[in-house]
Amino acid sequence: MPEVKSTFREVLPKQGQLSMEDVPTMVLCKPKLLPLKSVTLEKLEKMHQEAQEVIKQQEMALKEQGKEQ
């Protein structure tokens, strides 16, 4: 591929201030791991499971009382 010469040439000032354009660039950071289930959802599931166990125990107690009579 032939080298293309630029029509502009770089000029650096001998006196005064040299300004430079600040170009925003993307900064990569570590990915953040998010839980698959929220804490609230886990609490709700635990409460639901405990309620189901209480219902089972009550049903078993009712069955045993029904057999005795």
Side-chain angles (χ1 to χ4, degrees), residues 15-37:
Q15 294 178 348
Q17 293 181 346
L18 177 64
S19 65
M20 190 172 179
E21 242 182 82
D22 186 24
V23 181
T25 58
M26 291 185 67
V27 177
L28 298 176
C29 60
K30 290 183 178 180
K32 295 178 181 169
L33 297 176
L34 298 175
L36 295 176
K37 291 184 179 180

Side-chain angles (χ1 to χ4, degrees), residues 6-22:
S6 177
T7 57
F8 299 102
R9 87 186 155 95
E10 187 177 297
V11 177
L12 295 174
K14 303 278 184 204
Q15 294 178 348
Q17 293 181 346
L18 177 64
S19 65
M20 190 172 179
E21 242 182 82
D22 186 24

Side-chain angles (χ1 to χ4, degrees), residues 40-54:
T40 308
L41 181 60
E42 287 180 357
K43 286 180 181 178
L44 285 172
E45 287 179 343
K46 184 178 177 184
M47 287 172 54
H48 181 71
Q49 186 178 12
E50 289 172 353
Q52 291 292 339
E53 289 175 6
V54 168

